[in-house]
Amino acid sequence: KNEVEQSPQNLTAQEGEFITINCSYSVGISALHWLQQHPGGGIVSLFMLSSGKKKHGRLIATINIQEKHSSLHITASHPRDSAVYICAVAYNNNDMRFGAGTRLTVKP
Amino acid sequence: KAGVTQTPRYLIKTRGQQVTLSCSPISGHRSVSWYQQTPGQGLQFLFEYFSETQRNKGNFPGRFSGRQFSNSRSEMNVSTLELGDSALYLCASSQGNLYGYTFGSGTRLTVV
């Protein structure tokens, strides 16, 4: 069983829809990261969270430490948001564990 | 401000050979981490260096090694290459534990 579980694995949305991607982890962490990977491999770090909520443009990330759960929300989705979104957890020893990713396709 | 630079971008090697990959972090970033990404296993943590010291290592065999130089540039080496080492190797740099990561574009290694 993966230490980091993401859902859904695949998500198709129409442009303008509100999107939620979920991430659950099994043990205490020092931080949680949301990453975006486009075709070709390049990875962009979207958020690093240790508590609460962060917002950047149309992207919102939340984390509930007690429930060991995080969500990434995309408001007013756009085809350029199509990518793989990866949740990663970091432990105190700087080790990181990654979810399998959520492949998002936004159709115009 | 220059990003994280990984060289080479693509590499083809033969089984049994060794390979060295390079990562130049963002200026001022002292932490460099390495990751392997394969279709089967996804992203996996290889190791992390901070100020020339390896702080942590993932669950990879000893054939995978790395080092960091005084200018924070890092190299990783894979010896006795196996077909299963074919992957995208990514590095990321950071100012430290409290900061996010910036990823390089990766080196795609193919072992034939």
Side-chain angles (χ1 to χ4, degrees), chain B residues 16-62:
Chain B
Q17 286 186 312
Q18 74 161 14
V19 67
T20 299
L21 311 181
S22 177
C23 174
S24 293
I26 288 175
S27 178
H29 285 195
R30 295 163 66 188
S31 169
V32 175
S33 304
W34 287 90
Y35 308 90
Q36 181 198 64
Q37 187 176 37
T38 60
Q41 298 296 321
L43 267 166
Q44 296 184 89
F45 170 75
L46 278 158
F47 28 65
E48 188 238 358
Y49 287 88
F50 186 89
S51 293
E52 301 180 65
T53 300
Q54 185 183 90
R55 291 204 293 192
N56 194 35
K57 190 176 193 294
N59 190 25
F60 278 82

mmCIF file of all heavy atoms in Angstrom, chain B residues 16-62:
data_model
loop_
_atom_site.group_PDB
_atom_site.id
_atom_site.type_symbol
_atom_site.label_atom_id
_atom_site.label_comp_id
_atom_site.label_asym_id
_atom_site.label_seq_id
_atom_site.Cartn_x
_atom_site.Cartn_y
_atom_site.Cartn_z
ATOM 1 N N GLY B 16 25.672 -2.258 -18.112
ATOM 2 C CA GLY B 16 26.999 -2.471 -17.581
ATOM 3 C C GLY B 16 27.846 -1.208 -17.519
ATOM 4 O O GLY B 16 28.823 -1.149 -16.764
ATOM 5 N N GLN B 17 27.473 -0.204 -18.311
ATOM 6 C CA GLN B 17 28.220 1.046 -18.273
ATOM 7 C C GLN B 17 27.860 1.846 -17.029
ATOM 8 O O GLN B 17 26.973 1.475 -16.258
ATOM 9 C CB GLN B 17 27.905 1.892 -19.519
ATOM 10 C CG GLN B 17 28.543 1.392 -20.792
ATOM 11 C CD GLN B 17 28.319 2.358 -21.950
ATOM 12 O OE1 GLN B 17 27.188 2.823 -22.187
ATOM 13 N NE2 GLN B 17 29.381 2.672 -22.676
ATOM 14 N N GLN B 18 28.553 2.943 -16.831
ATOM 15 C CA GLN B 18 28.194 3.849 -15.755
ATOM 16 C C GLN B 18 27.838 5.215 -16.352
ATOM 17 O O GLN B 18 28.184 5.508 -17.495
ATOM 18 C CB GLN B 18 29.320 4.003 -14.734
ATOM 19 C CG GLN B 18 30.487 4.837 -15.206
ATOM 20 C CD GLN B 18 31.337 5.349 -14.044
ATOM 21 O OE1 GLN B 18 31.226 4.880 -12.901
ATOM 22 N NE2 GLN B 18 32.188 6.308 -14.311
ATOM 23 N N VAL B 19 27.134 6.019 -15.565
ATOM 24 C CA VAL B 19 26.696 7.319 -16.060
ATOM 25 C C VAL B 19 26.768 8.344 -14.931
ATOM 26 O O VAL B 19 26.583 8.006 -13.754
ATOM 27 C CB VAL B 19 25.255 7.223 -16.605
ATOM 28 C CG1 VAL B 19 24.250 6.949 -15.495
ATOM 29 C CG2 VAL B 19 24.877 8.470 -17.369
ATOM 30 N N THR B 20 27.066 9.568 -15.306
ATOM 31 C CA THR B 20 27.083 10.679 -14.355
ATOM 32 C C THR B 20 26.158 11.774 -14.860
ATOM 33 O O THR B 20 26.268 12.198 -16.015
ATOM 34 C CB THR B 20 28.503 11.246 -14.181
ATOM 35 O OG1 THR B 20 29.364 10.219 -13.674
ATOM 36 C CG2 THR B 20 28.494 12.418 -13.206
ATOM 37 N N LEU B 21 25.256 12.193 -14.000
ATOM 38 C CA LEU B 21 24.314 13.257 -14.333
ATOM 39 C C LEU B 21 24.637 14.471 -13.473
ATOM 40 O O LEU B 21 25.053 14.328 -12.323
ATOM 41 C CB LEU B 21 22.876 12.809 -14.066
ATOM 42 C CG LEU B 21 22.455 11.450 -14.618
ATOM 43 C CD1 LEU B 21 20.994 11.180 -14.286
ATOM 44 C CD2 LEU B 21 22.695 11.373 -16.105
ATOM 45 N N SER B 22 24.397 15.644 -14.023
ATOM 46 C CA SER B 22 24.752 16.871 -13.317
ATOM 47 C C SER B 22 23.536 17.743 -13.049
ATOM 48 O O SER B 22 22.593 17.773 -13.846
ATOM 49 C CB SER B 22 25.773 17.648 -14.152
ATOM 50 O OG SER B 22 26.101 18.868 -13.537
ATOM 51 N N CYS B 23 23.592 18.454 -11.938
ATOM 52 C CA CYS B 23 22.503 19.359 -11.555
ATOM 53 C C CYS B 23 23.108 20.631 -10.977
ATOM 54 O O CYS B 23 23.854 20.583 -9.989
ATOM 55 C CB CYS B 23 21.614 18.678 -10.515
ATOM 56 S SG CYS B 23 20.320 19.753 -9.823
ATOM 57 N N SER B 24 22.780 21.756 -11.582
ATOM 58 C CA SER B 24 23.213 23.053 -11.052
ATOM 59 C C SER B 24 22.001 23.739 -10.435
ATOM 60 O O SER B 24 21.045 24.051 -11.140
ATOM 61 C CB SER B 24 23.801 23.917 -12.163
ATOM 62 O OG SER B 24 24.997 23.362 -12.627
ATOM 63 N N PRO B 25 22.030 23.962 -9.130
ATOM 64 C CA PRO B 25 20.857 24.536 -8.468
ATOM 65 C C PRO B 25 20.745 26.035 -8.713
ATOM 66 O O PRO B 25 21.645 26.656 -9.263
ATOM 67 C CB PRO B 25 21.133 24.248 -6.987
ATOM 68 C CG PRO B 25 22.622 24.279 -6.892
ATOM 69 C CD PRO B 25 23.120 23.706 -8.193
ATOM 70 N N ILE B 26 19.641 26.583 -8.267
ATOM 71 C CA ILE B 26 19.460 28.026 -8.289
ATOM 72 C C ILE B 26 20.491 28.643 -7.355
ATOM 73 O O ILE B 26 20.773 28.104 -6.275
ATOM 74 C CB ILE B 26 18.032 28.394 -7.857
ATOM 75 C CG1 ILE B 26 17.047 28.008 -8.957
ATOM 76 C CG2 ILE B 26 17.900 29.871 -7.519
ATOM 77 C CD1 ILE B 26 15.599 28.216 -8.596
ATOM 78 N N SER B 27 21.050 29.760 -7.765
ATOM 79 C CA SER B 27 22.060 30.425 -6.959
ATOM 80 C C SER B 27 21.521 30.705 -5.554
ATOM 81 O O SER B 27 20.419 31.241 -5.378
ATOM 82 C CB SER B 27 22.448 31.743 -7.634
ATOM 83 O OG SER B 27 23.382 32.440 -6.858
ATOM 84 N N GLY B 28 22.295 30.310 -4.553
ATOM 85 C CA GLY B 28 21.863 30.520 -3.175
ATOM 86 C C GLY B 28 21.162 29.326 -2.545
ATOM 87 O O GLY B 28 20.986 29.276 -1.332
ATOM 88 N N HIS B 29 20.741 28.381 -3.372
ATOM 89 C CA HIS B 29 20.109 27.172 -2.843
ATOM 90 C C HIS B 29 21.187 26.176 -2.437
ATOM 91 O O HIS B 29 22.038 25.819 -3.241
ATOM 92 C CB HIS B 29 19.202 26.533 -3.899
ATOM 93 C CG HIS B 29 17.914 27.267 -4.109
ATOM 94 N ND1 HIS B 29 16.854 26.704 -4.782
ATOM 95 C CD2 HIS B 29 17.515 28.503 -3.724
ATOM 96 C CE1 HIS B 29 15.847 27.576 -4.808
ATOM 97 N NE2 HIS B 29 16.231 28.671 -4.181
ATOM 98 N N ARG B 30 21.119 25.725 -1.190
ATOM 99 C CA ARG B 30 22.143 24.814 -0.696
ATOM 100 C C ARG B 30 21.697 23.357 -0.658
ATOM 101 O O ARG B 30 22.491 22.462 -0.437
ATOM 102 C CB ARG B 30 22.590 25.273 0.700
ATOM 103 C CG ARG B 30 23.292 26.629 0.670
ATOM 104 C CD ARG B 30 23.368 27.254 2.028
ATOM 105 N NE ARG B 30 24.218 26.497 2.934
ATOM 106 C CZ ARG B 30 24.327 26.753 4.229
ATOM 107 N NH1 ARG B 30 23.629 27.730 4.767
ATOM 108 N NH2 ARG B 30 25.119 26.044 4.990
ATOM 109 N N SER B 31 20.408 23.133 -0.840
ATOM 110 C CA SER B 31 19.875 21.765 -0.825
ATOM 111 C C SER B 31 19.589 21.310 -2.244
ATOM 112 O O SER B 31 18.945 22.015 -3.026
ATOM 113 C CB SER B 31 18.585 21.722 0.003
ATOM 114 O OG SER B 31 17.927 20.495 -0.177
ATOM 115 N N VAL B 32 20.074 20.121 -2.563
ATOM 116 C CA VAL B 32 19.792 19.506 -3.862
ATOM 117 C C VAL B 32 19.294 18.084 -3.611
ATOM 118 O O VAL B 32 19.939 17.313 -2.894
ATOM 119 C CB VAL B 32 21.031 19.469 -4.775
ATOM 120 C CG1 VAL B 32 20.705 18.700 -6.057
ATOM 121 C CG2 VAL B 32 21.486 20.882 -5.113
ATOM 122 N N SER B 33 18.148 17.766 -4.189
ATOM 123 C CA SER B 33 17.574 16.426 -4.059
ATOM 124 C C SER B 33 17.487 15.790 -5.433
ATOM 125 O O SER B 33 17.295 16.485 -6.438
ATOM 126 C CB SER B 33 16.169 16.494 -3.463
ATOM 127 O OG SER B 33 16.166 17.163 -2.230
ATOM 128 N N TRP B 34 17.587 14.476 -5.450
ATOM 129 C CA TRP B 34 17.497 13.729 -6.702
ATOM 130 C C TRP B 34 16.330 12.746 -6.622
ATOM 131 O O TRP B 34 16.081 12.145 -5.556
ATOM 132 C CB TRP B 34 18.781 12.948 -6.952
ATOM 133 C CG TRP B 34 19.946 13.786 -7.353
ATOM 134 C CD1 TRP B 34 20.873 14.372 -6.540
ATOM 135 C CD2 TRP B 34 20.338 14.128 -8.688
ATOM 136 N NE1 TRP B 34 21.807 15.047 -7.275
ATOM 137 C CE2 TRP B 34 21.502 14.917 -8.604
ATOM 138 C CE3 TRP B 34 19.818 13.844 -9.957
ATOM 139 C CZ2 TRP B 34 22.157 15.422 -9.735
ATOM 140 C CZ3 TRP B 34 20.461 14.341 -11.075
ATOM 141 C CH2 TRP B 34 21.615 15.120 -10.961
ATOM 142 N N TYR B 35 15.657 12.557 -7.772
ATOM 143 C CA TYR B 35 14.499 11.675 -7.845
ATOM 144 C C TYR B 35 14.560 10.868 -9.140
ATOM 145 O O TYR B 35 15.074 11.334 -10.146
ATOM 146 C CB TYR B 35 13.200 12.484 -7.831
ATOM 147 C CG TYR B 35 13.114 13.454 -6.688
ATOM 148 C CD1 TYR B 35 13.587 14.750 -6.824
ATOM 149 C CD2 TYR B 35 12.582 13.066 -5.458
ATOM 150 C CE1 TYR B 35 13.542 15.645 -5.772
ATOM 151 C CE2 TYR B 35 12.529 13.961 -4.406
ATOM 152 C CZ TYR B 35 13.012 15.240 -4.568
ATOM 153 O OH TYR B 35 12.970 16.122 -3.516
ATOM 154 N N GLN B 36 13.994 9.664 -9.070
ATOM 155 C CA GLN B 36 13.859 8.832 -10.256
ATOM 156 C C GLN B 36 12.383 8.685 -10.563
ATOM 157 O O GLN B 36 11.577 8.468 -9.663
ATOM 158 C CB GLN B 36 14.465 7.438 -9.993
ATOM 159 C CG GLN B 36 14.390 6.506 -11.190
ATOM 160 C CD GLN B 36 14.580 5.044 -10.796
ATOM 161 O OE1 GLN B 36 13.783 4.478 -10.062
ATOM 162 N NE2 GLN B 36 15.641 4.435 -11.303
ATOM 163 N N GLN B 37 12.025 8.837 -11.816
ATOM 164 C CA GLN B 37 10.632 8.643 -12.212
ATOM 165 C C GLN B 37 10.545 7.610 -13.325
ATOM 166 O O GLN B 37 11.166 7.756 -14.380
ATOM 167 C CB GLN B 37 9.999 9.950 -12.681
ATOM 168 C CG GLN B 37 8.494 9.824 -12.953
ATOM 169 C CD GLN B 37 7.848 11.138 -13.335
ATOM 170 O OE1 GLN B 37 8.438 11.949 -14.035
ATOM 171 N NE2 GLN B 37 6.631 11.364 -12.864
ATOM 172 N N THR B 38 9.784 6.538 -13.077
ATOM 173 C CA THR B 38 9.530 5.498 -14.069
ATOM 174 C C THR B 38 8.035 5.290 -14.187
ATOM 175 O O THR B 38 7.285 5.575 -13.248
ATOM 176 C CB THR B 38 10.182 4.161 -13.666
ATOM 177 O OG1 THR B 38 9.631 3.750 -12.414
ATOM 178 C CG2 THR B 38 11.685 4.291 -13.549
ATOM 179 N N PRO B 39 7.587 4.780 -15.348
ATOM 180 C CA PRO B 39 6.140 4.531 -15.496
ATOM 181 C C PRO B 39 5.609 3.551 -14.453
ATOM 182 O O PRO B 39 4.494 3.700 -13.983
ATOM 183 C CB PRO B 39 6.032 3.952 -16.914
ATOM 184 C CG PRO B 39 7.234 4.471 -17.626
ATOM 185 C CD PRO B 39 8.323 4.535 -16.592
ATOM 186 N N GLY B 40 6.418 2.587 -14.056
ATOM 187 C CA GLY B 40 5.941 1.567 -13.135
ATOM 188 C C GLY B 40 5.952 1.997 -11.674
ATOM 189 O O GLY B 40 5.034 1.696 -10.919
ATOM 190 N N GLN B 41 6.985 2.689 -11.257
ATOM 191 C CA GLN B 41 7.167 3.043 -9.847
ATOM 192 C C GLN B 41 6.831 4.500 -9.544
ATOM 193 O O GLN B 41 6.797 4.892 -8.375
ATOM 194 C CB GLN B 41 8.620 2.778 -9.427
ATOM 195 C CG GLN B 41 9.062 1.327 -9.534
ATOM 196 C CD GLN B 41 8.289 0.446 -8.583
ATOM 197 O OE1 GLN B 41 8.004 0.822 -7.447
ATOM 198 N NE2 GLN B 41 7.917 -0.737 -9.045
ATOM 199 N N GLY B 42 6.605 5.303 -10.555
ATOM 200 C CA GLY B 42 6.340 6.711 -10.305
ATOM 201 C C GLY B 42 7.596 7.432 -9.846
ATOM 202 O O GLY B 42 8.718 7.037 -10.143
ATOM 203 N N LEU B 43 7.382 8.489 -9.081
ATOM 204 C CA LEU B 43 8.496 9.274 -8.554
ATOM 205 C C LEU B 43 9.018 8.644 -7.273
ATOM 206 O O LEU B 43 8.243 8.301 -6.380
ATOM 207 C CB LEU B 43 8.033 10.699 -8.233
ATOM 208 C CG LEU B 43 8.202 11.750 -9.318
ATOM 209 C CD1 LEU B 43 7.401 12.994 -8.973
ATOM 210 C CD2 LEU B 43 9.667 12.101 -9.497
ATOM 211 N N GLN B 44 10.332 8.505 -7.185
ATOM 212 C CA GLN B 44 10.945 7.974 -5.981
ATOM 213 C C GLN B 44 12.141 8.836 -5.594
ATOM 214 O O GLN B 44 12.900 9.273 -6.458
ATOM 215 C CB GLN B 44 11.408 6.526 -6.196
ATOM 216 C CG GLN B 44 10.272 5.556 -6.466
ATOM 217 C CD GLN B 44 10.779 4.139 -6.570
ATOM 218 O OE1 GLN B 44 10.882 3.418 -5.577
ATOM 219 N NE2 GLN B 44 11.126 3.726 -7.766
ATOM 220 N N PHE B 45 12.293 9.036 -4.310
ATOM 221 C CA PHE B 45 13.369 9.846 -3.765
ATOM 222 C C PHE B 45 14.665 9.040 -3.785
ATOM 223 O O PHE B 45 14.724 7.910 -3.313
ATOM 224 C CB PHE B 45 12.993 10.242 -2.338
ATOM 225 C CG PHE B 45 14.086 10.884 -1.547
ATOM 226 C CD1 PHE B 45 14.457 12.192 -1.791
ATOM 227 C CD2 PHE B 45 14.723 10.188 -0.542
ATOM 228 C CE1 PHE B 45 15.453 12.799 -1.049
ATOM 229 C CE2 PHE B 45 15.721 10.771 0.211
ATOM 230 C CZ PHE B 45 16.089 12.080 -0.040
ATOM 231 N N LEU B 46 15.721 9.662 -4.311
ATOM 232 C CA LEU B 46 17.037 9.012 -4.344
ATOM 233 C C LEU B 46 17.897 9.467 -3.171
ATOM 234 O O LEU B 46 18.318 8.666 -2.353
ATOM 235 C CB LEU B 46 17.743 9.337 -5.657
ATOM 236 C CG LEU B 46 17.347 8.483 -6.853
ATOM 237 C CD1 LEU B 46 17.668 9.200 -8.154
ATOM 238 C CD2 LEU B 46 18.057 7.139 -6.809
ATOM 239 N N PHE B 47 18.233 10.739 -3.120
ATOM 240 C CA PHE B 47 19.004 11.293 -2.005
ATOM 241 C C PHE B 47 18.930 12.812 -2.016
ATOM 242 O O PHE B 47 18.510 13.421 -2.990
ATOM 243 C CB PHE B 47 20.472 10.834 -1.989
ATOM 244 C CG PHE B 47 21.063 10.486 -3.335
ATOM 245 C CD1 PHE B 47 21.224 11.445 -4.326
ATOM 246 C CD2 PHE B 47 21.470 9.189 -3.598
ATOM 247 C CE1 PHE B 47 21.769 11.110 -5.542
ATOM 248 C CE2 PHE B 47 22.029 8.845 -4.815
ATOM 249 C CZ PHE B 47 22.176 9.796 -5.788
ATOM 250 N N GLU B 48 19.367 13.366 -0.885
ATOM 251 C CA GLU B 48 19.364 14.817 -0.720
ATOM 252 C C GLU B 48 20.693 15.260 -0.140
ATOM 253 O O GLU B 48 21.235 14.612 0.771
ATOM 254 C CB GLU B 48 18.227 15.277 0.204
ATOM 255 C CG GLU B 48 18.069 16.806 0.237
ATOM 256 C CD GLU B 48 18.213 17.390 1.620
ATOM 257 O OE1 GLU B 48 18.405 16.633 2.586
ATOM 258 O OE2 GLU B 48 18.128 18.632 1.728
ATOM 259 N N TYR B 49 21.243 16.328 -0.685
ATOM 260 C CA TYR B 49 22.489 16.900 -0.203
ATOM 261 C C TYR B 49 22.249 18.322 0.278
ATOM 262 O O TYR B 49 21.438 19.060 -0.287
ATOM 263 C CB TYR B 49 23.536 16.920 -1.316
ATOM 264 C CG TYR B 49 24.080 15.558 -1.616
ATOM 265 C CD1 TYR B 49 23.448 14.726 -2.536
ATOM 266 C CD2 TYR B 49 25.198 15.066 -0.953
ATOM 267 C CE1 TYR B 49 23.915 13.458 -2.784
ATOM 268 C CE2 TYR B 49 25.675 13.796 -1.207
ATOM 269 C CZ TYR B 49 25.039 12.999 -2.123
ATOM 270 O OH TYR B 49 25.494 11.741 -2.372
ATOM 271 N N PHE B 50 22.966 18.653 1.329
ATOM 272 C CA PHE B 50 22.912 20.013 1.869
ATOM 273 C C PHE B 50 24.325 20.362 2.309
ATOM 274 O O PHE B 50 24.920 19.671 3.123
ATOM 275 C CB PHE B 50 21.933 20.102 3.036
ATOM 276 C CG PHE B 50 21.729 21.504 3.555
ATOM 277 C CD1 PHE B 50 20.748 22.306 3.009
ATOM 278 C CD2 PHE B 50 22.513 22.013 4.578
ATOM 279 C CE1 PHE B 50 20.536 23.599 3.472
ATOM 280 C CE2 PHE B 50 22.320 23.292 5.043
ATOM 281 C CZ PHE B 50 21.334 24.090 4.496
ATOM 282 N N SER B 51 24.826 21.450 1.775
ATOM 283 C CA SER B 51 26.188 21.897 2.100
ATOM 284 C C SER B 51 27.188 20.750 2.022
ATOM 285 O O SER B 51 27.934 20.483 2.979
ATOM 286 C CB SER B 51 26.224 22.525 3.509
ATOM 287 O OG SER B 51 25.480 23.716 3.516
ATOM 288 N N GLU B 52 27.166 20.048 0.913
ATOM 289 C CA GLU B 52 28.126 18.987 0.565
ATOM 290 C C GLU B 52 27.939 17.705 1.367
ATOM 291 O O GLU B 52 28.743 16.770 1.214
ATOM 292 C CB GLU B 52 29.574 19.489 0.716
ATOM 293 C CG GLU B 52 29.885 20.697 -0.151
ATOM 294 C CD GLU B 52 31.325 21.171 0.027
ATOM 295 O OE1 GLU B 52 32.241 20.425 -0.331
ATOM 296 O OE2 GLU B 52 31.498 22.311 0.532
ATOM 297 N N THR B 53 26.909 17.634 2.218
ATOM 298 C CA THR B 53 26.680 16.438 3.030
ATOM 299 C C THR B 53 25.391 15.740 2.587
ATOM 300 O O THR B 53 24.365 16.409 2.393
ATOM 301 C CB THR B 53 26.560 16.815 4.515
ATOM 302 O OG1 THR B 53 27.779 17.437 4.932
ATOM 303 C CG2 THR B 53 26.301 15.586 5.374
ATOM 304 N N GLN B 54 25.469 14.419 2.452
ATOM 305 C CA GLN B 54 24.249 13.680 2.140
ATOM 306 C C GLN B 54 23.440 13.559 3.416
ATOM 307 O O GLN B 54 23.871 12.928 4.393
ATOM 308 C CB GLN B 54 24.586 12.292 1.591
ATOM 309 C CG GLN B 54 23.349 11.533 1.135
ATOM 310 C CD GLN B 54 23.683 10.122 0.643
ATOM 311 O OE1 GLN B 54 23.680 9.169 1.414
ATOM 312 N NE2 GLN B 54 23.967 10.009 -0.636
ATOM 313 N N ARG B 55 22.231 14.117 3.402
ATOM 314 C CA ARG B 55 21.416 14.114 4.628
ATOM 315 C C ARG B 55 20.479 12.919 4.669
ATOM 316 O O ARG B 55 20.091 12.478 5.750
ATOM 317 C CB ARG B 55 20.580 15.396 4.711
ATOM 318 C CG ARG B 55 21.405 16.634 4.963
ATOM 319 C CD ARG B 55 20.611 17.743 5.596
ATOM 320 N NE ARG B 55 19.590 18.293 4.713
ATOM 321 C CZ ARG B 55 18.929 19.416 4.978
ATOM 322 N NH1 ARG B 55 19.158 20.075 6.089
ATOM 323 N NH2 ARG B 55 18.024 19.873 4.145
ATOM 324 N N ASN B 56 20.104 12.410 3.516
ATOM 325 C CA ASN B 56 19.199 11.277 3.517
ATOM 326 C C ASN B 56 19.300 10.547 2.194
ATOM 327 O O ASN B 56 19.657 11.142 1.166
ATOM 328 C CB ASN B 56 17.753 11.732 3.737
ATOM 329 C CG ASN B 56 16.843 10.590 4.080
ATOM 330 O OD1 ASN B 56 17.240 9.647 4.759
ATOM 331 N ND2 ASN B 56 15.626 10.634 3.585
ATOM 332 N N LYS B 57 19.008 9.253 2.239
ATOM 333 C CA LYS B 57 19.089 8.439 1.037
ATOM 334 C C LYS B 57 17.844 7.578 0.954
ATOM 335 O O LYS B 57 17.403 7.005 1.961
ATOM 336 C CB LYS B 57 20.346 7.560 1.102
ATOM 337 C CG LYS B 57 20.674 6.831 -0.193
ATOM 338 C CD LYS B 57 21.983 6.073 -0.046
ATOM 339 C CE LYS B 57 22.533 5.595 -1.395
ATOM 340 N NZ LYS B 57 21.707 4.606 -2.054
ATOM 341 N N GLY B 58 17.295 7.456 -0.216
ATOM 342 C CA GLY B 58 16.131 6.601 -0.426
ATOM 343 C C GLY B 58 16.551 5.151 -0.550
ATOM 344 O O GLY B 58 17.712 4.781 -0.393
ATOM 345 N N ASN B 59 15.576 4.323 -0.844
ATOM 346 C CA ASN B 59 15.794 2.880 -0.876
ATOM 347 C C ASN B 59 16.283 2.431 -2.254
ATOM 348 O O ASN B 59 15.552 1.793 -3.015
ATOM 349 C CB ASN B 59 14.493 2.175 -0.498
ATOM 350 C CG ASN B 59 14.699 0.698 -0.286
ATOM 351 O OD1 ASN B 59 15.813 0.266 0.032
ATOM 352 N ND2 ASN B 59 13.659 -0.082 -0.463
ATOM 353 N N PHE B 60 17.495 2.758 -2.577
ATOM 354 C CA PHE B 60 18.105 2.377 -3.841
ATOM 355 C C PHE B 60 19.409 1.655 -3.562
ATOM 356 O O PHE B 60 20.058 1.890 -2.544
ATOM 357 C CB PHE B 60 18.371 3.621 -4.701
ATOM 358 C CG PHE B 60 17.157 4.098 -5.457
ATOM 359 C CD1 PHE B 60 16.212 4.890 -4.833
ATOM 360 C CD2 PHE B 60 16.971 3.745 -6.776
ATOM 361 C CE1 PHE B 60 15.080 5.320 -5.509
ATOM 362 C CE2 PHE B 60 15.847 4.176 -7.468
ATOM 363 C CZ PHE B 60 14.903 4.962 -6.833
ATOM 364 N N PRO B 61 19.807 0.763 -4.479
ATOM 365 C CA PRO B 61 21.061 0.026 -4.257
ATOM 366 C C PRO B 61 22.277 0.943 -4.292
ATOM 367 O O PRO B 61 22.213 2.074 -4.766
ATOM 368 C CB PRO B 61 21.085 -0.974 -5.422
ATOM 369 C CG PRO B 61 20.151 -0.452 -6.441
ATOM 370 C CD PRO B 61 19.117 0.339 -5.714
ATOM 371 N N GLY B 62 23.391 0.416 -3.798
ATOM 372 C CA GLY B 62 24.621 1.199 -3.713
ATOM 373 C C GLY B 62 25.175 1.637 -5.061
ATOM 374 O O GLY B 62 26.080 2.477 -5.108
#
